[in-house]
Amino acid sequence: MDSKQVVDLVYWRDTQRSGVVFGASLFLLLSLSVCSIVSVCAYIALALLSVTISFRIYKGILQAVQKSEEGHPFKLYLEQDVGVPADLVHKYSEVGLRHVNTGIKELRRLFLVEDLVDSIKFGALLWILTYIGAFFNGLTLLIMVLVGVFGWPLTYEKHQTQIDHYYGMVSGQVKDIVGKIQAKVPGLKPKAE
């Protein structure tokens, strides 16, 4: 799936496709919050198997009654190659490896305090995450992210001027506060840009 398709999906350009992806993802995450991942996977697989068995039996009975020779209803899908191409695996594993290495280097830089200000910011982020973790578990955060990903772009597109206005006001106030704090705390002078 390329980036244009992802943008079309989250902006609800094709409402049916976006609805299916959003609904299925939300259903999966809500199911995982109630049951274990093993149970959810087993129930989904069991539901899929029930549908395919029922369809196969239905088509078999229909062929027997109509005395037709249509054959197996899933023959087309059984003959298709479903293997993952090796070049695709290599492409994404190289991209993933690049991201992992970049992340490891950044964590090393932050934990070994290469830049004091960046390490303090990272520490503040971790401290905030402890509070977020106390209120929400990981699945709740994933559900909120999913709803945000599918809800925010459309909301922003419809109310862009008002959101930009209030964002500008808040951003200006935050910059003023950060500037005052940096001016008063020694060692936190803003970097020359």
Side-chain angles (χ1 to χ4, degrees):
M1 186 177 268
D2 65 353
S3 61
K4 183 187 179 324
Q5 289 175 320
V6 172
V7 169
D8 289 345
L9 199 64
V10 297
Y11 276 96
W12 295 78
R13 303 285 190 246
D14 181 3
T15 55
Q16 186 176 13
R17 177 180 252 172
S18 295
V20 167
V21 170
F22 175 66
S25 302
L26 188 61
F27 177 75
L28 177 67
L29 290 175
L30 290 173
S31 299
L32 286 173
S33 68
V34 175
C35 302
S36 72
I37 191 165
V38 174
S39 297
V40 170
C41 290
Y43 282 129
I44 289 172
L46 187 59
L48 181 63
L49 184 62
S50 299
V51 168
T52 56
I53 288 175
S54 299
F55 186 70
R56 172 76 198 280
I57 291 171
Y58 168 74
K59 286 301 238 179
I61 292 172
L62 200 61
Q63 286 175 9
V65 169
Q66 294 178 347
K67 297 190 187 336
S68 65
E69 295 294 325
E70 290 181 22
H72 196 287
F74 298 117
K75 184 176 182 179
L76 176 69
Y77 299 109
L78 289 171
E79 292 173 351
Q80 287 182 347
D81 181 29
V82 292
V84 178
D87 59 336
L88 188 68
V89 172
H90 290 300
K91 174 186 169 188
Y92 285 112
S93 64
E94 288 173 8
V95 170
L97 182 63
R98 242 190 335 255
H99 288 300
V100 167
N101 285 337
T102 303
I104 289 171
K105 288 177 184 174
E106 185 66 19
L107 288 173
R108 178 186 66 186
R109 189 182 76 76
L110 291 170
F111 278 109
L112 298 180
V113 195
E114 184 177 309
D115 182 7
L116 180 64
V117 175
D118 286 346
S119 293
I120 289 173
K121 288 178 187 177
F122 182 62
L125 174 68
L126 293 176
W127 182 67
I128 291 169
L129 287 176
T130 62
Y131 283 100
I132 292 172
F135 288 114
F136 307 108
N137 66 21
L139 283 173
T140 305
L141 289 174
L142 284 176
I143 291 169
M144 290 170 42
V145 166
L146 180 71
V147 170
V149 163
F150 278 89
W152 176 249
L154 195 59
T155 303
Y156 182 73
E157 191 175 60
K158 288 184 178 181
H159 305 287
Q160 185 174 0
T161 54
Q162 297 96 329
I163 292 172
D164 286 345
H165 171 71
Y166 289 115
Y167 175 75
M169 287 176 30
V170 170
S171 178
Q173 291 179 353
V174 168
K175 284 181 184 177
D176 290 345
I177 292 170
V178 168
K180 289 176 185 176
I181 291 172
Q182 286 179 335
K184 293 189 183 217
V185 176
L188 290 181
K189 300 288 182 206
K191 296 177 185 176
E193 296 184 41

